[in-house]
Amino acid sequence: MNFCSDNVAGMAPEILAALASANDGTASSYGADPYTARVEAKLSEIFERRVLAFPVVTGTAANALALSVMAPPYGAIYCHPEAHIMVDECGAPEFYAGGAKLVPIAGAHGKLAADDVAAVLANGRAGDVHHVQPAAISLTQATECGTAYRADEVAAIAEVAKRHQVKLHMDGARFANALRHMNASPADITWKAGVDVLSFGATKNGAMAAEAVIFFDEALAESFAFRRKRAGHLISKMRFVSAQLDAYLEGDLWLRLAAHANDQAAALVAGLKAIPGVELLHPVEANEIFIRLPLNVVAGLRAAGFDFYDWPGAAPGTIRLVTSFATRAEDVAKFVATAKALAA
Amino acid sequence: MNFCSDNVAGMAPEILAALASANDGTASSYGADPYTARVEAKLSEIFERRVLAFPVVTGTAANALALSVMAPPYGAIYCHPEAHIMVDECGAPEFYAGGAKLVPIAGAHGKLAADDVAAVLANGRAGDVHHVQPAAISLTQATECGTAYRADEVAAIAEVAKRHQVKLHMDGARFANALRHMNASPADITWKAGVDVLSFGATKNGAMAAEAVIFFDEALAESFAFRRKRAGHLISKMRFVSAQLDAYLEGDLWLRLAAHANDQAAALVAGLKAIPGVELLHPVEANEIFIRLPLNVVAGLRAAGFDFYDWPGAAPGTIRLVTSFATRAEDVAKFVATAKALAA
Amino acid sequence: MNFCSDNVAGMAPEILAALASANDGTASSYGADPYTARVEAKLSEIFERRVLAFPVVTGTAANALALSVMAPPYGAIYCHPEAHIMVDECGAPEFYAGGAKLVPIAGAHGKLAADDVAAVLANGRAGDVHHVQPAAISLTQATECGTAYRADEVAAIAEVAKRHQVKLHMDGARFANALRHMNASPADITWKAGVDVLSFGATKNGAMAAEAVIFFDEALAESFAFRRKRAGHLISKMRFVSAQLDAYLEGDLWLRLAAHANDQAAALVAGLKAIPGVELLHPVEANEIFIRLPLNVVAGLRAAGFDFYDWPGAAPGTIRLVTSFATRAEDVAKFVATAKALAA
Amino acid sequence: MNFCSDNVAGMAPEILAALASANDGTASSYGADPYTARVEAKLSEIFERRVLAFPVVTGTAANALALSVMAPPYGAIYCHPEAHIMVDECGAPEFYAGGAKLVPIAGAHGKLAADDVAAVLANGRAGDVHHVQPAAISLTQATECGTAYRADEVAAIAEVAKRHQVKLHMDGARFANALRHMNASPADITWKAGVDVLSFGATKNGAMAAEAVIFFDEALAESFAFRRKRAGHLISKMRFVSAQLDAYLEGDLWLRLAAHANDQAAALVAGLKAIPGVELLHPVEANEIFIRLPLNVVAGLRAAGFDFYDWPGAAPGTIRLVTSFATRAEDVAKFVATAKALAA
């Protein structure tokens, strides 16, 4: 029973079926196939406007490629100090953007606050050749703390971005989870709020290896196809990446998968909060829980066969639990019951 | 009936089945799964020595990442002017290697000749700070002309490489096709002949999206994992890439798939050569045919529903035909019959 | 009367004379001249061991080139958040090191503390492919706050560096000023304390445009000459850069120039401290003063013809004053007298 | 008596005097000084239009920085196979342009021919993501063979460039020599013929270390200042670079210096051509001579104290002779007399 990450799960059955179905016959390579076209059309419908969408196979590639067209090599990209692009991509954004600099802006619960961004950009030294130049802001939706940006929060940051002529990127590795939590529309929390480019994640939410870089600012996409190719991220048999996304978007599968993961997280946290002395580090607004449990409970859960990570940099007993589309309700119930028994 | 490329085919059924099978339950992410370990073990057995193997999803990524650890940013990488890394990767090797320079060495039928390599390296200006420094040689097996390097040809080039202390890379996007053509052993045409790093292709030969970078020189692999991650090429649900390779290598599937593709190419060329006035540009030693046909034959084949590419830079009527594991014998027979009828 | 920076001054007369003298006749280009050899020999003597020294023309080039051989593209370089390499080089280290990441470690008065470095490196996640890898620490001597690292402070940080197998760089743009302040030996505060590579500055202290990258760890220098050339920093008529350094090092000129600058700073601060309500932000241990004066004093000094910078991010009235080898004692006296009169 | 290169000479006396003169008092750093402004004004006058000019200290920096704003990382830069940027800069253009590819186009006497450029660009595969994208053409004036492009030759290449929407760069390391040879106007052989950016060399023609990157296409200059800074090429005491250029341009000094060098080359070649059996490899249209002499003459000249380079890749006895502003007529006469005596 593995709560380490949503990427320990496999594929949703519908997505596996889509791979099998897409395997019929020949198809033009490198994206000139009907699946890829259909994905762009579906995303345009879902986002209520024409978008340009480029499938890739990892979130790191999606983020790094997206940022490489949003910031010049001498640019500054502002993000939360715990952002995936800052901490967990081994410098991919710097590599792809030719040495651009990621500048951290602290904020509670993994989120940037518009006022803090405004304060930093007010000292951004635009035009000063000695200093990297303000270029882009990157938000994570849901954040690394499992929280979600509301549309008005995104819009407030976007307003700062526009004022300083910097672009706004959203790392949506867990976009579906955040969206489902808020019952918002995809358009409302992205381009209508001022997002220029979205890394639209599917892998963590039931795909095998599929993400889409979605451009709301089409001018930014001009060089993207070249950059994707020379990064080795133009998959030759692209139909199999697009077929995943096609199935993912069909009939709201993506939202149902996210709803399931979120529901399991909600059930987990509801159960665990009843244990005396537990401390929830962040509101649970997606499918991640950061919680401090008594040490004997943590040890006992592991002994009982549950896998999860201790959270670095936090008090002893602090763990992260991640649910997914594949998390079973009975495992959640068992986790809670085991924890309660250990705490008793 | 599509003879454009081997990447217009889908997956071999065994590989699709492997994906379905791998979808059972959870697995550790980022390569810490049993499939990935098994692939390395199988490759070690196939190559008759311990190897380090890193799965990636495109040949361009395999080549560019491999070369990035074989050449410094100020290095020269020698290759054929028609090499995929030179022509068809939109500058990926230069990007990954931090601006290294690809230096062309011409040769007949897509192959480098050891004497030519020796002559260029004799003027390589090693130690001269004004000049990029000799770092690596890259061979393509099978070549872009559909020809294959014999073990002694590789060894002769490797001897030059060793003498000049440069590393030897093999782009094996169609490694299986070349190997099967020669009935050589994998070891004989790689490390025993002096190859340090091999881009071992599977995608063109029946996988969905799977290649392995294989290190015979283990010291070169030291930074590879970091470079792969920061390139966005560390797939989170890696088991699905490795499961493809696992099935590909099981029970000589890879060799049977290549044998089928090669056989179809042989049948095609045998049939077409009987047509008066055709000209074969290169020996057919894998699954690619470069041939000049009468213009009316070319037009007639297209009208009959056959897809293939005109070959740029050659005389009118010159086309490329590529067969794959999925090419049907009846389509080959029909192609030949149609061509003969048109030429009659 | 310009107290903006030590780079508003020209050349020391001895250095101009050296340029004139070096202009006699022909000399081999690109550093194969007697001046360049002599500089390396003099530096070896001054540092009491054989060193490798590479002249360049800017401190930014010295730092970025030095760090490019100390950190791989996926490396982390630790430095103070106010370090020149972090703030004032428009991303040069990231550019030269192929996208390496600069990681800030806060510290009082512009200095890193060994304990803080140790705490960060203890969480450096060495070997974790998701994270940039600990590679180098960079200290500034004198710091951006005008303070100096004592030999024992450097040694304590070096001990942490060695324990974590990271390299230690010193940005010595104002090395002479720090050294002179402490009356230390060059060896004691560099290689004897564990520094691997030193950016040895001369420009701010009386040269026209001359710095030397000095390697105490000779193995690190292996690729330096190539990297310098491909950065366009191998000056063809190198004798004129080396002649500056040659004169700078001759007969302790460099120390006398620094002593003069330090003495003027000491006189300035001594005078200004007598004014009621002034606040000195940092100890004055080189040739820079960061001080808060009454607003009317600041305005009045400017009206009297004194140039200097308001210091960003500090309380109103906070200014930076920099003295140089060329600062005249009478201008210092006049500055102090004017300030006192305004404050009275 | 050194004929190895024009960079073995020192500074013209007027330029040394300018350094001494510029050393008076303080000046704003980083280019905000009156010398730098004056250089831009003088160049605007000389080129008969407003230009933007950025001083740097090496030709390699000038070229690589210029090309970095003319080609994206996935761009192709076309040049002669013997171009300095291709052969002699250790990969600087690739480094600065983030991995762009230099594509050679052969041509007689070091020159590109418009027809050859047109043929290559016709196959440039613009818009094809697999291929680096046509971005810029770079000409060398005078070429590495000592020949000069006439205005109509430049214009013919520019016409091809414009048709394919690629930019035109001129490496003018020996611009003055070529210009003087043709008695052309600076405007005629640059922007009036279609050049967008010029690396305007002064170092080889009597400066110490000074070049200017001149933009005729001002839009291209937008990011230049940032790129120069982060390359470490923004000299802090810039007045000393600009003072060189200021003196260089004053009263046609630059043309007089070039005329002297050209005249010495003309005298040399006139004398040597009289020797039976000599072969001149290229027309002498600047200050470089490529000539094959009898082997005993070559050896005898060296024994007599003359320094020069054997030319790699040419028949034995082929040497390069370079004259400069400082070459003395008596040394030329002695060289010729010695050669004639040896040949007799």
Side-chain angles (χ1 to χ4, degrees):
Chain A
M1 289 155 301
N2 191 324
F3 292 89
C4 286
S5 179
D6 30 16
N7 61 29
V8 301
M11 290 180 256
E14 296 87 343
I15 287 174
L16 177 59
L19 289 179
S21 167
N23 198 33
D24 198 26
T26 59
S28 290
S29 46
Y30 299 117
D33 62 84
Y35 301 91
T36 303
R38 197 153 63 223
V39 166
E40 196 167 77
K42 280 185 177 175
L43 286 168
S44 294
E45 192 178 327
I46 285 168
F47 281 93
E48 305 173 38
R49 57 161 288 167
R50 178 178 134 90
V51 300
L52 299 180
F54 297 83
V56 295
V57 292
T58 68
T60 295
N63 289 336
L65 280 166
L67 293 168
S68 78
V69 299
M70 303 178 78
Y74 51 87
I77 299 166
Y78 303 93
C79 64
H80 194 275
E82 296 178 33
H84 200 267
I85 59 171
M86 179 62 104
V87 177
D88 295 308
E89 301 188 350
C90 199
E94 289 92 337
F95 173 42
Y96 275 76
K101 188 189 281 283
L102 270 61
V103 178
I105 301 178
H109 301 309
K111 291 161 77 170
L112 299 182
D115 285 353
D116 296 334
V117 176
V120 169
L121 277 166
N123 291 309
R125 297 168 70 174
D128 177 345
V129 297
H130 299 276
H131 205 66
V132 287
Q133 294 296 293
I137 300 166
S138 181
L139 309 177
T140 313
Q141 182 78 304
T143 72
E144 280 70 24
C145 296
T147 54
Y149 283 96
R150 296 189 318 269
D152 64 318
E153 293 173 318
V154 176
I157 292 167
E159 194 275 326
V160 177
K162 298 302 178 263
R163 196 180 340 135
H164 290 278
Q165 295 179 279
V166 308
K167 298 293 181 182
L168 187 57
H169 170 252
M170 180 174 278
D171 172 359
R174 294 188 178 95
F175 183 77
N177 301 97
L179 186 75
R180 192 62 187 69
H181 172 77
M182 295 185 285
N183 271 320
S185 88
D188 281 348
I189 62 169
T190 57
W191 66 273
K192 286 188 178 173
V195 171
D196 295 302
V197 184
L198 170 66
S199 298
F200 178 82
T203 307
K204 289 180 189 293
N205 191 35
M208 181 180 67
E211 320 275 310
V213 180
I214 299 178
F215 285 86
F216 305 114
D217 180 340
E218 296 193 7
L220 282 174
E222 187 189 352
S223 70
F224 193 87
F226 300 104
R227 292 179 183 271
R228 180 176 60 169
K229 171 62 194 179
R230 87 184 199 107
H233 279 291
L234 178 61
I235 305 295
S236 61
K237 298 181 177 176
M238 181 67 90
R239 58 168 142 166
F240 294 113
V241 182
S242 296
Q244 296 175 60
L245 293 168
D246 188 39
Y248 182 70
L249 298 171
E250 182 66 31
D252 288 342
L253 174 62
W254 64 302
L255 295 174
R256 283 182 283 123
L257 295 173
H260 177 85
N262 287 4
D263 290 350
Q264 301 314 309
L268 254 184
V269 76
L272 295 175
K273 277 168 71 176
I275 297 173
V278 307
E279 184 194 1
L280 195 63
L281 274 70
H282 308 294
V284 176
E285 300 177 348
N287 63 324
E288 293 190 288
I289 299 165
F290 297 82
I291 195 164
R292 188 164 59 80
L293 299 177
L295 291 177
N296 75 304
V297 174
V298 171
L301 284 163
R302 288 216 166 95
F306 294 101
D307 280 338
F308 47 81
Y309 287 124
D310 291 319
W311 204 238
T318 304
I319 63 171
R320 184 183 77 159
L321 302 170
V322 190
T323 58
S324 80
F325 78 95
T327 302
R328 293 183 302 180
E330 58 261 40
D331 289 345
V332 167
K334 196 171 158 195
F335 189 103
V336 170
T338 305
K340 285 183 174 170
L342 287 160
Chain B
M1 289 156 301
N2 191 322
F3 292 88
C4 286
S5 178
D6 29 17
N7 62 29
V8 301
M11 289 179 258
E14 295 87 342
I15 287 174
L16 177 58
L19 289 179
S21 168
N23 198 33
D24 199 27
T26 59
S28 289
S29 46
Y30 299 116
D33 63 83
Y35 302 91
T36 303
R38 197 153 61 224
V39 166
E40 198 168 75
K42 281 186 177 174
L43 285 169
S44 295
E45 193 178 327
I46 286 168
F47 281 92
E48 304 173 38
R49 56 161 288 167
R50 179 178 135 89
V51 301
L52 300 180
F54 297 84
V56 294
V57 293
T58 69
T60 295
N63 289 336
L65 280 166
L67 292 169
S68 78
V69 299
M70 302 177 77
Y74 51 87
I77 299 166
Y78 303 94
C79 64
H80 195 275
E82 297 179 33
H84 200 267
I85 59 169
M86 179 63 103
V87 176
D88 295 308
E89 301 188 349
C90 199
E94 289 93 337
F95 174 41
Y96 275 75
K101 188 189 280 283
L102 270 61
V103 178
I105 301 178
H109 301 310
K111 291 161 78 170
L112 299 183
D115 285 353
D116 296 334
V117 176
V120 169
L121 277 166
N123 291 309
R125 296 168 71 172
D128 177 345
V129 297
H130 299 277
H131 204 65
V132 288
Q133 293 296 293
I137 301 166
S138 181
L139 309 178
T140 313
Q141 181 77 303
T143 72
E144 281 69 25
C145 295
T147 53
Y149 284 96
R150 295 189 318 269
D152 63 319
E153 293 173 317
V154 175
I157 292 167
E159 194 275 326
V160 177
K162 300 300 178 268
R163 196 179 341 136
H164 289 278
Q165 295 180 279
V166 309
K167 297 294 180 182
L168 187 57
H169 170 253
M170 180 173 278
D171 172 0
R174 295 187 178 96
F175 183 77
N177 300 97
L179 185 75
R180 192 63 187 69
H181 171 77
M182 295 185 285
N183 271 319
S185 87
D188 281 348
I189 61 168
T190 57
W191 66 273
K192 286 187 177 173
V195 171
D196 295 302
V197 184
L198 170 67
S199 297
F200 179 83
T203 306
K204 290 181 189 291
N205 191 34
M208 180 179 69
E211 318 276 311
V213 180
I214 299 178
F215 285 86
F216 305 114
D217 179 340
E218 296 193 8
L220 282 174
E222 188 189 353
S223 71
F224 193 88
F226 299 105
R227 293 179 182 270
R228 180 175 61 168
K229 171 63 194 179
R230 87 185 201 108
H233 279 291
L234 179 61
I235 305 295
S236 62
K237 298 180 178 176
M238 180 67 89
R239 58 168 143 166
F240 294 112
V241 182
S242 296
Q244 296 175 60
L245 292 168
D246 187 39
Y248 182 71
L249 298 172
E250 182 66 30
D252 287 343
L253 174 63
W254 64 302
L255 295 173
R256 283 182 283 125
L257 296 172
H260 176 86
N262 288 4
D263 290 350
Q264 302 313 309
L268 254 184
V269 77
L272 295 175
K273 276 169 70 177
I275 297 173
V278 306
E279 183 193 2
L280 194 63
L281 274 70
H282 307 294
V284 177
E285 301 177 348
N287 62 325
E288 293 191 285
I289 299 165
F290 297 83
I291 195 165
R292 188 163 60 80
L293 299 177
L295 291 177
N296 75 306
V297 175
V298 171
L301 284 163
R302 288 217 166 93
F306 293 101
D307 281 337
F308 48 81
Y309 288 124
D310 290 320
W311 204 238
T318 304
I319 63 171
R320 184 184 77 160
L321 302 170
V322 190
T323 58
S324 80
F325 78 95
T327 301
R328 294 184 303 180
E330 57 260 42
D331 289 344
V332 167
K334 197 170 160 195
F335 190 103
V336 170
T338 305
K340 285 183 173 168
L342 288 160
Chain C
M1 290 153 298
N2 192 323
F3 292 89
C4 286
S5 179
D6 29 18
N7 60 29
V8 301
M11 290 180 258
E14 295 86 343
I15 289 175
L16 176 58
L19 289 178
S21 167
N23 198 34
D24 197 26
T26 60
S28 290
S29 47
Y30 299 117
D33 63 82
Y35 301 91
T36 303
R38 195 154 61 223
V39 166
E40 198 168 73
K42 279 186 178 174
L43 286 168
S44 294
E45 191 178 329
I46 284 168
F47 282 92
E48 304 172 37
R49 55 162 288 168
R50 179 178 134 89
V51 301
L52 299 180
F54 297 84
V56 294
V57 292
T58 69
T60 294
N63 289 335
L65 281 166
L67 292 169
S68 78
V69 299
M70 303 178 78
Y74 50 87
I77 298 165
Y78 304 94
C79 64
H80 195 274
E82 297 178 33
H84 200 267
I85 60 170
M86 179 62 104
V87 176
D88 295 308
E89 301 187 351
C90 199
E94 290 93 337
F95 173 42
Y96 276 75
K101 188 188 281 283
L102 270 62
V103 178
I105 301 178
H109 301 311
K111 291 162 78 170
L112 299 183
D115 285 353
D116 297 333
V117 176
V120 169
L121 277 166
N123 291 309
R125 296 167 72 173
D128 177 345
V129 296
H130 299 277
H131 204 66
V132 289
Q133 295 295 293
I137 300 166
S138 181
L139 309 178
T140 312
Q141 182 78 305
T143 73
E144 280 70 24
C145 296
T147 54
Y149 283 96
R150 296 189 316 270
D152 64 319
E153 293 172 317
V154 175
I157 292 167
E159 194 278 325
V160 177
K162 298 301 178 266
R163 196 183 338 138
H164 289 278
Q165 296 179 279
V166 309
K167 297 294 181 183
L168 187 56
H169 170 253
M170 181 174 278
D171 172 0
R174 293 187 179 96
F175 183 77
N177 300 97
L179 185 76
R180 194 62 187 70
H181 172 77
M182 295 186 286
N183 270 319
S185 88
D188 281 346
I189 61 167
T190 58
W191 67 273
K192 285 187 178 173
V195 171
D196 296 302
V197 185
L198 170 67
S199 297
F200 178 83
T203 307
K204 289 181 189 293
N205 191 34
M208 178 181 69
E211 319 276 309
V213 180
I214 299 177
F215 286 87
F216 304 113
D217 179 340
E218 296 194 7
L220 282 174
E222 188 189 352
S223 71
F224 192 87
F226 300 105
R227 293 179 183 271
R228 179 175 60 168
K229 171 62 195 178
R230 88 186 199 108
H233 278 292
L234 180 60
I235 305 296
S236 61
K237 298 181 178 176
M238 180 68 89
R239 59 170 143 166
F240 294 112
V241 182
S242 296
Q244 295 174 60
L245 293 168
D246 187 39
Y248 183 69
L249 298 172
E250 182 65 30
D252 287 341
L253 174 63
W254 64 302
L255 295 173
R256 281 181 283 124
L257 295 172
H260 177 86
N262 288 3
D263 289 349
Q264 301 314 309
L268 254 183
V269 76
L272 295 174
K273 276 168 73 175
I275 297 173
V278 306
E279 183 193 3
L280 195 62
L281 274 71
H282 308 294
V284 176
E285 301 176 348
N287 62 325
E288 293 190 287
I289 299 165
F290 298 82
I291 195 164
R292 189 164 60 80
L293 300 176
L295 292 177
N296 75 304
V297 174
V298 171
L301 284 163
R302 286 216 167 94
F306 293 100
D307 280 337
F308 46 81
Y309 287 125
D310 289 319
W311 204 238
T318 305
I319 63 171
R320 184 184 76 160
L321 301 171
V322 190
T323 57
S324 79
F325 78 95
T327 302
R328 294 184 300 180
E330 58 259 42
D331 289 343
V332 167
K334 194 169 162 197
F335 189 102
V336 170
T338 306
K340 284 183 173 169
L342 288 159
Chain D
M1 290 155 296
N2 191 324
F3 292 88
C4 286
S5 178
D6 29 17
N7 61 30
V8 302
M11 292 180 255
E14 295 87 344
I15 288 175
L16 176 59
L19 289 179
S21 167
N23 198 33
D24 197 26
T26 60
S28 289
S29 46
Y30 300 116
D33 62 83
Y35 302 91
T36 303
R38 196 154 63 223
V39 166
E40 198 168 75
K42 280 186 177 174
L43 286 168
S44 295
E45 191 178 330
I46 286 168
F47 282 92
E48 304 172 38
R49 57 161 287 168
R50 180 178 133 90
V51 301
L52 299 180
F54 297 85
V56 294
V57 292
T58 69
T60 294
N63 289 335
L65 280 166
L67 292 169
S68 78
V69 299
M70 303 178 79
Y74 50 86
I77 299 165
Y78 304 94
C79 65
H80 195 275
E82 297 178 33
H84 200 267
I85 60 169
M86 179 63 104
V87 176
D88 295 309
E89 301 187 351
C90 199
E94 290 93 337
F95 174 42
Y96 275 75
K101 188 188 281 282
L102 270 61
V103 178
I105 301 178
H109 301 311
K111 291 162 79 170
L112 299 183
D115 285 354
D116 297 333
V117 176
V120 169
L121 277 166
N123 291 308
R125 297 168 71 173
D128 177 344
V129 297
H130 299 277
H131 205 67
V132 288
Q133 294 295 294
I137 301 165
S138 181
L139 309 178
T140 312
Q141 182 78 305
T143 73
E144 279 71 22
C145 296
T147 54
Y149 283 97
R150 296 189 317 268
D152 64 320
E153 293 173 318
V154 175
I157 292 168
E159 194 277 326
V160 178
K162 299 299 178 269
R163 195 179 343 132
H164 290 278
Q165 296 179 281
V166 308
K167 297 294 180 183
L168 187 57
H169 170 252
M170 180 173 277
D171 172 0
R174 294 188 178 96
F175 183 78
N177 300 96
L179 186 76
R180 193 62 188 71
H181 171 77
M182 295 186 286
N183 271 320
S185 88
D188 281 346
I189 62 168
T190 57
W191 67 273
K192 285 187 178 173
V195 171
D196 296 302
V197 185
L198 170 66
S199 298
F200 179 83
T203 307
K204 288 181 190 294
N205 191 34
M208 179 181 68
E211 319 275 310
V213 180
I214 299 178
F215 286 87
F216 305 114
D217 179 339
E218 296 194 8
L220 283 174
E222 187 189 353
S223 70
F224 192 87
F226 300 105
R227 292 180 183 272
R228 179 176 60 169
K229 171 61 195 179
R230 86 185 201 108
H233 279 292
L234 179 60
I235 304 295
S236 62
K237 297 181 179 177
M238 181 68 89
R239 58 169 142 163
F240 294 112
V241 182
S242 296
Q244 296 174 61
L245 292 168
D246 187 39
Y248 183 70
L249 298 171
E250 183 65 29
D252 287 340
L253 174 63
W254 63 301
L255 295 174
R256 283 182 283 125
L257 295 172
H260 177 87
N262 288 4
D263 290 349
Q264 302 315 309
L268 254 183
V269 76
L272 295 174
K273 276 169 72 177
I275 297 174
V278 307
E279 183 193 3
L280 195 62
L281 274 70
H282 308 294
V284 176
E285 301 178 346
N287 62 323
E288 293 190 286
I289 299 166
F290 297 82
I291 196 163
R292 188 162 61 80
L293 300 177
L295 292 178
N296 75 304
V297 174
V298 171
L301 284 162
R302 287 216 166 94
F306 294 100
D307 280 336
F308 47 81
Y309 287 124
D310 290 319
W311 204 239
T318 305
I319 63 171
R320 184 183 77 161
L321 301 171
V322 190
T323 57
S324 80
F325 78 95
T327 301
R328 294 183 301 180
E330 58 260 43
D331 289 342
V332 166
K334 196 171 161 196
F335 190 101
V336 170
T338 305
K340 284 184 174 169
L342 288 160

